[in-house]
Amino acid sequence: MNIEAFRGALLTWFDGNKRDMPWRRTKDPYGIWVSEVMLQQTRVDTVIPYYERFMTHYPTVEALAEAPEEAVLKDWEGLGYYRRARNLQRGARYVLENHSGRMPRDYEAIRKVPGIGDYTAGAILSIAYNLPVPAVDGNVVRVMARLTGTYWTAADKAPVRTALEPLMDRQRPGSFTESMMELGAVICTPKNPRCLACPVQRECQAFQLGIADELPVKVQKGEIPVEAYTVLVLTCEERIYLQKRSEGLLGGLWEYFVVPGFLEPRGAEELAEGWGCQVFSLEDWGKAHHVFTHKRWSMLGYRMRLDGRPDLPGEWLTLPEYGERAIPSAYQHYTEKLKKEISER
């Protein structure tokens, strides 16, 4: 590979074709950190409005560190993977306490910040501080596997990082990092890569050998287990019932009353009768599904109006209080139906 030709072609293409994103208009390491956390497993178009609102509410490390967790989770509502938000706030508190609110410039120091791994450290140090530190995510693994013609898998980030380091442009390491991500996102895509439009086609071994579709190597995954639940959206007069999940999946977030397995309408009514309540109305709010990384939820939902507020482990909230709670996107189907009902009153 002609490294100089590769760098020149890549950066020239990036300068003329990069997408306009709010985090590309700043060199603030905190802002770049927030964007990288939000972009994990989430599309760019989805992230942009969340990022802009989040940075308005928490413009500095200090602002995020000192914010109530409930408010942060509410601003994260809809992005999913709430652990990212918690880790981001834990990291902000660590930076405030140990580095006076300034993101470290040193690789070993920044890696000690809770929630910052090799990739995020590389992204912050190269983009914000212009240091030649590689940042290897799934896009970069794919580009490097095809560029070098190496049968790497998505898990081979360490050898990819080693191979990428000597390729980095020392004058513009931040732009180099972003250009590699951009190339993987819009040209060197997982399926149907746009090889004929690729700026580094001449240096790409996979293109020369005709094996771009084979790289990186795909590892077959086992079937994802399915768990069944019944979701009861309980209301009494102007109060809505929510309960906080315990530790574990979606731990610490608010949800409706959830029962393992599928209940028939009569079974849902009997549950309420066991609480000593009369059911004024019971509506079938249909089925919904949500896929996590390691399991899939299949849900059946009912809207249940009660004549009294049973003594359950959660809280009966007013409409304003309900609006302040962060409800996981797993329940989005039922949340949207409830909000539509409220707005039509």
Side-chain angles (χ1 to χ4, degrees):
M1 178 194 302
N2 184 324
I3 295 178
E4 290 300 323
F6 164 72
R7 290 173 181 161
L10 180 65
L11 290 171
T12 298
W13 168 81
F14 180 67
D15 289 340
N17 296 276
K18 62 184 175 184
R19 293 170 292 174
D20 181 29
M21 303 173 189
W23 47 88
R24 284 186 173 163
R25 304 176 205 143
T26 180
K27 292 300 180 183
D28 173 23
Y30 166 68
I32 291 165
W33 179 25
V34 171
S35 73
E36 292 298 338
V37 174
M38 286 188 169
L39 287 166
Q40 293 167 13
Q41 299 175 293
T42 309
R43 292 172 54 86
V44 167
D45 291 346
T46 300
V47 167
I48 288 175
Y50 280 92
Y51 175 84
E52 291 176 332
R53 182 178 64 189
F54 198 89
M55 292 302 293
T56 298
H57 291 177
Y58 318 106
T60 63
V61 167
E62 183 177 6
L64 178 58
E66 296 179 348
E69 181 183 272
E70 194 70 52
V72 174
L73 294 178
K74 182 63 180 176
D75 282 331
W76 204 271
E77 186 178 41
L79 272 180
Y81 304 99
Y82 286 86
R83 182 175 295 181
R84 295 181 299 172
R86 288 198 177 93
N87 284 340
L88 186 62
Q89 189 172 40
R90 281 202 308 129
R93 289 169 177 164
Y94 176 92
V95 172
L96 183 61
E97 293 170 5
N98 295 276
H99 299 281
S100 302
R102 295 185 178 184
M103 295 296 293
R105 296 175 60 97
D106 175 73
Y107 180 80
E108 296 302 325
I110 203 170
R111 278 290 280 109
K112 292 179 180 178
V113 177
I116 293 186
D118 287 338
Y119 163 73
T120 307
I124 295 170
L125 293 175
S126 61
I127 298 171
Y129 293 131
N130 214 35
L131 299 174
V133 181
V136 178
D137 65 353
N139 280 333
V140 174
V141 168
R142 185 168 59 256
V143 170
M144 286 295 291
R146 290 170 176 170
L147 186 66
T148 63
T150 305
Y151 281 78
W152 280 314
T153 71
D156 291 323
K157 292 184 172 60
V160 171
R161 177 185 170 88
T162 300
L164 180 61
E165 196 163 3
L167 301 184
M168 291 195 72
D169 189 287
R170 264 48 185 175
Q171 300 300 314
R172 300 177 60 193
S175 294
F176 181 87
T177 291
E178 291 188 284
S179 66
M180 289 289 286
M181 297 175 188
E182 189 81 343
L183 188 69
V186 302
I187 299 290
C188 196
T189 51
K191 295 180 180 179
N192 304 315
R194 298 168 55 205
C195 294
L196 296 181
C198 180
V200 294
Q201 176 197 110
R202 291 185 178 181
E203 309 303 325
C204 180
Q205 287 295 304
F207 176 75
Q208 305 301 331
L209 298 172
I211 58 171
D213 288 332
E214 299 177 22
L215 300 172
V217 178
K218 298 176 180 63
V219 178
Q220 296 297 322
K221 297 181 179 179
E223 290 189 9
I224 298 177
V226 178
E227 297 178 355
Y229 295 99
T230 299
V231 179
L232 300 180
V233 181
L234 306 176
T235 62
C236 178
E237 298 176 339
E238 294 297 315
R239 299 271 180 163
I240 302 167
Y241 177 81
L242 289 180
Q243 59 193 24
K244 184 171 282 192
R245 288 182 64 89
S246 58
E247 293 303 314
L249 183 63
L250 304 180
L253 301 178
W254 294 86
E255 65 178 359
Y256 306 102
F257 192 91
V258 179
V259 181
F262 290 149
L263 292 180
E264 295 293 332
R266 182 54 192 152
E269 291 176 345
E270 289 175 349
L271 190 62
E273 291 168 2
W275 300 330
C277 294
Q278 180 182 344
V279 179
F280 282 154
S281 66
L282 182 70
E283 301 173 40
D284 185 342
W285 272 10
K287 292 186 176 180
H289 306 277
H290 189 79
V291 179
F292 298 94
T293 54
H294 60 296
K295 66 176 65 176
R296 181 172 179 263
W297 281 4
S298 181
M299 293 168 283
L300 173 64
Y302 296 103
R303 165 73 162 88
M304 185 183 288
R305 293 181 178 87
L306 303 175
D307 70 341
R309 301 202 294 264
D311 185 16
L312 298 174
E315 297 182 22
W316 290 91
L317 305 171
T318 64
L319 292 181
E321 289 172 337
Y322 169 77
E324 294 173 353
R325 299 300 195 269
I327 302 173
S329 57
Y331 303 114
Q332 183 176 359
H333 174 76
Y334 305 110
T335 298
E336 288 181 350
K337 291 181 77 70
L338 181 59
K339 288 182 176 180
K340 183 175 185 293
E341 177 188 283
I342 292 170
S343 69
E344 292 176 348
R345 288 181 183 175

